[in-house]
């Protein structure tokens, strides 16, 4: 899918893998997480390659709204209640540090990527209590947060919380510079992995990554491919679902500097990108499209807030959502000590990818990382996870997923089944795609696979 980012940054095409190779680290996936992790590993002197199924940065990284912020919707009040103040503080600190890491890296390497520091706002046009509580919780954790009723936006809000010194950039201009320093094999699809097991309770054997172009033997493996496609071990299919959201780029929509997210209903987000304004929102669990009306909702809102504005581009993105609202960054599973994963970024891929690029290289190199326990995929908090877990397993009262598992077909049409674990697919009329409500695989109207965890297309 094309966005204003993919339209304005071109990457040199990389050759596919040819034959068999042996490396220290194989990173699966050439999006922002894979590139940042590989780049940091290379700085530490490791021999690392990226294996990318298609072209780098053409997945979700190319469809982001590219906000770099530790303001992750209404999160801190909830984190304090569910995980305690210290874990919430570490989550905030890790993401705040990630904002600073971007600036440092961009300055040091003199990367021309439209980076700018911005104030980040959460606003509500309906009520004040949520944002007011969030401001208090954020301050408690050491964030420079302030509750206000003035945002500078061309419409009134009931309440807002602002975080100073957050940022925005052009993600592909940034990644192009880092990617140029890395060994990357494009058009190289990892089909399966063999090995990586513990031998005699002590060391782990190497892993063979079987691709469609050859075999990569690696001492360490990093899954940075958005949604891990390996079902066992790890059970990520029970621990992640995906949500699709939509963006329109508008001209003639005057708004102030700043990055904004509404906390009501369709959760509209706003930021400027040069002369354009990006208006996003209308997020839904995959398979839950409102019959083709998501972009219409955005355009209606655009006319309400920015009369006379015009759409110049539209695109959508899919995000992996973890059970408890914290990304999974760390060891993939206890039985595979040299496999690592970075996923479940919950719509905050820019900062989460940077956090992952600190934690995973530290784990691989045996360096202590204070944030690692907070993001560890091996954590489990029943209180924070139960609702999503039941839904991912198809035993929620939410009809969408329940119906998908049971294969109900209310319209009497032929049921399309997902090639991952067989759930019933739903049509997305905005994108002309088939979406899976269970774990978010997505297929073109001719059956070609567009998004995993499915590994193959479907027959129509
Ligand atoms: Fe898992 Fe469709 S994505 S069954």
């Amino acid at each position: 899918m094309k966005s204003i980012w993919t339209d304005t940054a071109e990457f040199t095409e990389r050759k596919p893998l040819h034959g068999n190779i042996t490396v220290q680290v194989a990173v699966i996936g050439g999006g922002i997480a894979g590139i940042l992790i590989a780049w940091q590993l290379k700085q530490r002197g490791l021999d690392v390659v990226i294996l990318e199924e298609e072209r780098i940065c053409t997945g979700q990284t190319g469809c982001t709204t590219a906000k770099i912020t530790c303001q992750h919707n209404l999160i801190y009040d909830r984190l304090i209640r569910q995980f305690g103040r210290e874990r919430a503080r570490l989550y905030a600190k890790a993401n705040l540090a990630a904002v600073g890491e971007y600036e440092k890296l961009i300055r040091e390497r003199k990367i021309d990527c439209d980076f700018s520091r911005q104030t980040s706002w959460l606003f509500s046009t309906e009520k004040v209590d949520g944002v007011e509580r969030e401001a208090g919780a954020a301050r408690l954790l050491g964030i420079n947060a302030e509750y206000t009723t003035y945002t500078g936006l061309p419409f009134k809000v009931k309440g807002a919380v602002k975080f100073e010194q957050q940022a925005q950039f052009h993600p592909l201009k940034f990644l192009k510079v880092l990617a140029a320093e890395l060994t990357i094999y494009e058009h190289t699809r990892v089909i399966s992995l063999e090995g990586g097991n513990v031998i005699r309770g002590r060391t782990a054997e190497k892993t063979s990554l079987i691709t469609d172009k050859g075999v990569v033997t690696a001492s360490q493996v990093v899954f940075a491919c958005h949604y891990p496609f390996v079902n066992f071990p790890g059970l990520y299919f029970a621990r992640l679902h995906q949500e699709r959201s939509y963006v329109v780029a508008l001209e003639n929509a005057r708004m102030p500097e700043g990055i904004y997210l509404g906390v009501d209903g369709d959760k509209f987000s706003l930021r400027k990108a040069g002369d354009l304004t990006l208006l996003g929102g209308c997020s839904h669990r995959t398979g839950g499209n409102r019959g083709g009306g998501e972009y219409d909702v955005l355009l209606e809102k655009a006319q309400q807030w920015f009369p006379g504005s015009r759409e110049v581009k539209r695109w959508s993105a899919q995000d992996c959502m973890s059970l408890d609202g914290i990304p999974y960054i760390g060891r993939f599973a206890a039985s595979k000590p040299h496999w690592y994963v970075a996923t479940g970024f919950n719509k905050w891929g820019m900062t989460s990818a940077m956090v992952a690029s600190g934690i995973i290289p530290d784990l691989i190199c045996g360096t202590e990382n204070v944030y690692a326990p907070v993001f560890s995929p091996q954590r489990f908090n029943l209180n924070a996870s139960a609702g999503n877990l039941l839904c991912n397993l198809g035993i929620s009262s939410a009809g969408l997923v329940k119906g998908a598992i049971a294969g109900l077909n209310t319209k009497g049409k032929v049921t399309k089944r997902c090639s991952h674990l067989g759930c019933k697919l739903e049509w997305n009329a905005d994108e002309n795609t088939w979406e899976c409500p269970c774990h978010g695989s997505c297929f073109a109207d001719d059956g070609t696979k567009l998004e995993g965890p499915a590994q193959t297309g479907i027959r129509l």
Side-chain angles (χ1 to χ4, degrees):
M1 186 173 289
K2 289 274 190 183
S3 68
I4 58 165
W5 318 122
T6 55
D7 280 352
T8 50
E10 236 176 79
F11 286 77
T12 311
E13 188 147 9
R14 303 300 187 91
K15 290 201 171 82
L17 178 68
H18 184 70
N20 303 337
I21 60 170
T22 298
V23 293
Q24 284 177 300
V25 189
V27 176
I28 307 171
I32 188 164
I35 290 173
L36 279 173
I37 292 166
W39 191 83
Q40 292 289 359
L41 286 165
K42 193 172 176 211
Q43 303 312 300
R44 298 183 193 208
L46 275 81
D47 171 27
V48 53
V49 299
I50 291 178
L51 304 169
E52 166 56 46
E53 181 175 12
E54 296 183 6
R55 301 287 318 277
I56 60 168
C57 298
T58 53
Q60 306 316 317
T61 298
C63 298
T64 173
T65 51
K67 305 188 197 89
I68 308 173
T69 176
C70 70
Q71 188 180 60
H72 295 175
N73 202 346
L74 298 174
I75 189 171
Y76 292 112
D77 180 54
R78 181 181 65 77
L79 286 184
I80 291 171
R81 281 185 282 108
Q82 293 181 331
F83 292 90
R85 196 151 139 188
E86 181 54 15
R87 290 214 156 203
R89 188 186 68 79
L90 285 170
Y91 179 93
K93 201 172 168 198
N95 282 284
L96 207 47
V99 182
E101 277 301 312
Y102 273 109
E103 184 167 42
K104 185 164 156 260
L105 188 51
I106 287 164
R107 282 214 174 132
E108 277 175 7
R109 315 286 297 194
K110 297 188 174 44
I111 301 175
D112 179 9
C113 62
D114 310 331
F115 178 91
S116 62
R117 285 285 191 169
Q118 298 284 340
T119 301
S120 183
W121 308 72
L122 282 178
F123 66 88
S124 172
T125 57
E126 295 172 6
K127 50 189 187 300
V128 300
D129 47 347
V131 283
E132 207 167 23
R133 265 202 314 276
E134 187 68 5
R139 276 198 303 273
L140 204 60
L141 302 175
I143 296 170
N144 182 3
E146 186 187 329
Y147 175 77
T148 178
T149 53
Y150 176 76
T151 62
L153 287 168
F155 51 86
K156 283 213 165 76
V157 304
K158 280 270 168 57
V161 52
K162 63 175 181 174
F163 290 8
E164 299 290 355
Q165 289 294 304
Q166 308 303 301
Q168 65 181 27
F169 70 155
H170 186 313
L172 303 197
K173 285 184 182 173
F174 168 73
L175 290 169
K176 191 177 167 177
V177 174
L178 300 192
E181 300 175 20
L182 298 171
T183 304
I184 298 170
Y185 296 104
E186 292 186 321
H187 306 294
T188 301
R189 185 166 73 89
V190 179
I191 299 166
S192 61
L193 293 89
E194 293 173 3
N197 299 308
V198 179
I199 306 168
R200 290 186 284 279
R202 285 152 52 91
T203 54
E205 60 183 344
K206 289 187 176 179
T207 300
S208 298
L209 296 96
I210 318 299
T211 82
D212 55 354
K213 304 291 186 329
V215 176
V216 178
T217 304
S219 305
Q220 321 271 351
V221 178
V222 181
F223 288 80
C225 48
H226 189 60
Y227 197 121
F229 56 87
V230 171
N231 293 327
F232 305 100
L235 300 174
Y236 287 93
F237 64 88
R239 303 160 67 191
L240 288 170
H241 74 275
Q242 297 196 60
E243 293 189 3
R244 181 164 289 273
S245 53
Y246 303 80
V247 185
V248 288
L250 303 166
E251 62 180 14
N252 199 29
R254 291 171 61 108
M255 66 164 279
E257 292 289 337
I259 53 182
Y260 295 83
L261 177 67
V263 301
D264 313 312
D266 280 316
K267 294 198 167 48
F268 296 110
S269 76
L270 289 158
R271 66 157 278 192
K272 285 173 77 167
D275 293 337
L276 301 176
T277 288
L278 306 186
L279 170 61
C282 299
S283 175
H284 59 74
R285 188 177 179 122
T286 48
N289 178 272
R290 290 179 281 199
E294 311 297 352
Y295 288 114
D296 294 341
V297 172
L298 286 180
L299 293 175
E300 206 174 298
K301 190 50 79 177
Q303 286 314 308
Q304 184 190 330
W305 285 346
F306 310 105
S309 60
R310 276 187 310 280
E311 174 194 341
V312 295
K313 194 90 193 167
R314 61 170 63 184
W315 68 92
S316 68
Q318 250 181 232
D319 293 286
C320 286
M321 312 298 286
S322 66
L323 290 176
D324 58 13
I326 296 178
Y328 301 125
I329 299 170
R331 287 191 206 287
F332 190 91
S335 61
K336 302 284 185 184
H338 295 320
W339 291 12
Y340 303 87
V341 66
T343 186
F345 291 168
N346 302 301
K347 301 179 190 286
W348 303 104
M350 302 298 105
T351 39
S352 299
M354 187 58 92
V355 170
S357 77
I359 291 176
I360 291 178
D362 275 352
L363 292 175
I364 287 175
C365 297
T367 309
E368 193 191 348
N369 186 300
V370 289
Y371 307 123
V374 176
F375 296 88
S376 167
Q378 277 69 57
R379 72 183 183 273
F380 184 68
N381 180 317
L382 184 62
N383 189 20
S385 307
N388 277 328
L389 178 61
L390 293 175
C391 207
N392 292 356
L393 293 172
I395 47 180
S396 154
S397 57
L400 179 67
V401 175
K402 204 175 177 187
I405 293 287
L408 301 178
N409 191 338
T410 50
K411 290 181 187 152
K413 291 181 187 162
V414 179
T415 298
K416 307 283 186 297
R417 290 282 170 189
C418 180
S419 61
H420 179 224
L421 295 174
C423 287
K424 175 179 164 261
L425 299 173
E426 299 289 339
W427 181 245
N428 182 323
D430 275 302
E431 300 297 344
N432 290 332
T433 53
W434 290 101
E435 288 180 353
C436 183
C438 289
H439 319 109
S441 292
C442 181
F443 306 89
D445 56 0
D446 65 357
T448 309
K449 187 206 89 171
L450 299 174
E451 307 283 347
Q455 282 274 64
T456 57
I458 53 169
R459 230 183 291 150
L460 296 173

